[in-house]
């Protein structure tokens, strides 16, 4: 059963929040290819109407020349930043609904980005309505799902010296993330000569040599399965893709192997890369390896201050298995926490949804943060 919203004058704060979320879902910000600039311009207008002292929209060019974007609003001189990414992944297969048309039922809102993480944007907009925000920054940023270029651009091009803490929104099932894993991704290549398979016994074999490396990577992962901080043991090693060749009777001239791992805070990167080099040489010295993603782990630097900030709205402070842009803010000297409505198990799925109860919780969270910060 689809739940209909009442007229504006009679709306509760939750219904206003749902209305914002419906509009956000309708604005397609699939990454790559979505209209981040258009949504940022719309949000900029709303933030000005909500009393921001200054609002700036910036575009950020991606590798494929498409435009990412973010909008930054300042209420006074910000000492606290609320950050939510506004882009989404492409709609997964299996949707039974139009992913860009929100469906509101008795207990949830369906739609692409409802959980990850446009519900937090809607809650912040609703919490700001009628509030006297002070010394607060609002950053709605794109390009989180496919490159993370917007937050570094923001940190480089805006004065953030007054910002001491940040709330980074991701679907955390109402928990507060004080640390999380990083993401390291690599591409290994073997370049041979290739040729007719009747000569295969005496030719270089890129796929075979890279397969040896894949097995050694798996062995490293098994060796480290029980190593690491409590709740974050193991490397999450993912040997993801092995490509090369054009036909069964053609020896390939090139093979490529993609793999990644998710290191926990305190990870010994130098030690791992020494082991990786040994695995490369033992597999075949002609293999080359390049790093294609370097997202550092995150660990909050001011746990006591963060607990004071959000502790009234959560009972659990946890480590997270997924990477977030809190790591970028923390590296810039801004103590961060990761928290938001929705559950990560719903993110990136078909028929993605967020519970209305989670939206109400997010309203309480952001209303409390804004009110206490302005006191």
């Amino acid at each position: 059963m689809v739940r209909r919203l009442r007229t504006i004058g009679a709306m509760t704060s939750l219904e206003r929040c749902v209305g914002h979320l419906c509009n956000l879902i309708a604005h397609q910000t699939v990454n790559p290819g979505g209209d981040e600039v258009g949504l940022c311009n719309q949000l900029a207008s709303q933030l000005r109407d909500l009393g921001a002292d200054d609002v700036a929209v910036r575009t950020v060019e991606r590798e494929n020349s498409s435009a990412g974007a973010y909008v930054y609003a300042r209420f006074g001189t910000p000492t606290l930043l609320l950050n939510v990414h506004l882009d989404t992944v492409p709609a997964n297969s299996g949707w039974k609904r139009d992913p860009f048309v929100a469906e509101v039922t008795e207990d949830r809102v369906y739609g692409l980005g409802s959980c990850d993480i446009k519900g937090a944007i809607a809650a912040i907009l609703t919490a700001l309505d009628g509030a006297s925000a002070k010394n607060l920054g609002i950053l709605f940023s794109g390009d989180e799902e496919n490159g993370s270029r917007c937050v570094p651009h923001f940190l480089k091009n805006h004065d953030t010296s007054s910002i001491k803490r940040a709330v980074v929104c991701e679907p955390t099932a109402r928990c507060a993330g004080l640390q999380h894993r990083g993401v390291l991704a690599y591409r290994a290549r073997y370049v041979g000569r290739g040729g007719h398979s009747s000569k295969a016994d005496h030719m270089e074999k890129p796929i075979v040599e890279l397969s040896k490396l894949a097995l050694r990577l798996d062995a490293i992962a098994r060796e480290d399965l029980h190593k690491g901080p409590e709740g974050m043991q193991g490397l999450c090693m993912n040997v993801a893709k092995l490509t090369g060749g054009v036909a069964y009777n053609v020896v390939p001239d090139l093979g490529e192997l993609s793999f990644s791992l998710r290191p926990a805070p305190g990870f010994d990167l130098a030690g791992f890369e020494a082991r990786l080099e040994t695995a490369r040489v033992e597999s075949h010295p002609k293999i080359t390896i390049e790093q294609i993603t370097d997202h550092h782990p995150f660990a909050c630097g001011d746990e006591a201050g963060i607990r004071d900030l959000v502790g009234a709205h959560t009972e659990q402070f946890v480590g997270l298995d997924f990477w977030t842009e809190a790591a970028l803010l923390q590296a810039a000297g801004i103590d961060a926490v990761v928290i938001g409505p929705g559950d990560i198990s719903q993110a990136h799925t078909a028929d993605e949804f967020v519970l209305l109860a989670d939206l109400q919780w997010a309203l309480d969270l952001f209303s409390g943060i804004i009110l206490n910060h302005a006191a």
Side-chain angles (χ1 to χ4, degrees):
M1 174 180 177
V2 176
R3 177 175 172 179
R4 299 189 181 280
L5 299 179
R6 289 179 278 184
T7 58
I8 294 297
M11 279 187 178
T12 65
S13 59
L14 177 58
E15 287 171 326
R16 291 198 301 275
C17 179
V18 170
H20 283 308
L21 180 53
C22 291
N23 290 330
L24 291 165
I25 290 169
H27 201 119
Q28 299 185 26
T29 51
V30 171
N31 188 356
D35 182 19
E36 293 181 13
V37 178
L39 182 53
C40 283
N41 286 329
Q42 174 186 305
L43 290 168
S45 177
Q46 292 176 274
L47 289 164
R48 291 188 187 99
D49 290 343
L50 289 167
D53 296 305
D54 184 63
V55 181
V57 174
R58 298 287 184 267
T59 58
V60 180
E61 186 173 319
R62 300 192 184 107
E63 287 183 357
N64 62 4
S65 298
S66 65
Y70 63 88
V71 54
Y72 175 55
R74 179 177 56 78
F75 298 79
T77 302
T79 56
L80 174 67
L81 180 72
L82 303 183
N83 171 230
V84 194
H85 73 83
L86 53 80
D87 59 327
T88 74
V89 294
N92 206 338
S93 60
W95 275 82
K96 299 180 178 65
R97 301 165 171 82
D98 186 333
F100 303 108
V101 176
E103 181 178 331
V104 185
T105 70
E106 290 299 323
D107 67 342
R108 64 192 63 184
V109 181
Y110 289 95
L112 184 61
S114 57
C115 173
D116 190 12
I117 179 77
K118 289 181 174 180
I121 298 178
I124 289 172
L125 292 173
T126 308
L128 284 169
D129 191 7
S132 298
K134 294 180 182 178
N135 301 328
L136 181 68
I138 305 293
L139 176 64
F140 296 144
S141 50
D143 201 44
E144 190 271 350
E145 296 287 8
N146 189 34
S148 290
R149 292 173 180 83
C150 286
V151 168
H153 188 281
F154 162 75
L155 291 169
K156 181 179 179 180
N157 292 280
H158 294 264
D159 181 7
T160 61
S161 59
S162 63
I163 301 175
K164 306 305 179 187
R165 296 188 182 120
V167 176
V168 177
C169 297
E170 292 288 353
T172 61
R174 308 191 196 183
C175 298
L178 296 177
Q179 58 181 352
H180 64 59
R181 293 179 182 270
V183 181
L184 301 176
Y186 299 86
R187 181 186 297 115
R189 303 176 87 238
Y190 187 109
V191 180
R193 293 185 60 185
H196 198 284
S197 63
S198 64
K199 303 296 183 182
D201 288 344
H202 308 287
M203 297 178 69
E204 296 176 285
K205 302 175 182 180
I207 302 301
V208 173
E209 306 303 347
L210 289 170
S211 297
K212 294 176 185 176
L213 177 60
L215 291 173
R216 286 185 166 89
L217 292 172
D218 187 63
I220 290 173
R222 284 185 278 108
E223 289 171 6
D224 287 16
L225 190 60
H226 302 293
K227 297 178 182 178
E230 183 69 26
M232 289 190 175
Q233 291 93 346
L235 296 178
C236 299
M237 177 73 75
N238 180 34
V239 179
K241 189 176 183 181
L242 177 60
T243 60
V246 294
Y248 72 89
N249 56 355
V250 177
V251 176
D253 61 354
L254 171 68
E256 290 189 345
L257 175 72
S258 299
F259 61 96
S260 67
L261 61 150
R262 293 180 177 265
F267 178 65
D268 180 10
L269 178 59
F272 169 76
E273 290 189 338
R275 296 164 73 192
L276 179 59
E277 173 63 9
T278 298
R280 181 192 72 82
V281 173
E282 289 179 349
S283 299
H284 200 289
K286 281 192 66 173
I287 293 175
T288 61
I289 299 178
E290 63 173 329
Q291 187 179 72
I292 56 177
T293 298
D294 182 12
H295 289 337
H296 288 222
F298 156 71
C300 175
D302 179 18
E303 185 173 330
I306 290 298
R307 285 178 180 270
D308 286 342
L309 181 66
V310 302
H313 301 280
T314 184
E315 296 180 357
Q316 284 190 293
F317 291 83
V318 299
L320 303 170
D321 286 332
F322 54 91
W323 186 83
T324 81
E325 291 177 326
L328 303 178
L329 296 169
Q330 192 74 44
I334 300 172
D335 286 308
V337 62
V338 184
I339 190 169
D343 192 309
I344 195 65
S345 64
Q346 284 300 319
H348 302 187
T349 64
D351 293 329
E352 178 184 346
F353 67 83
V354 64
L355 294 174
L356 294 177
D358 274 10
L359 292 178
Q360 182 62 64
W361 167 84
L363 274 172
D364 295 339
L365 168 70
F366 295 120
S367 295
I369 288 174
I370 293 168
L371 177 64
N372 293 333
H373 191 66

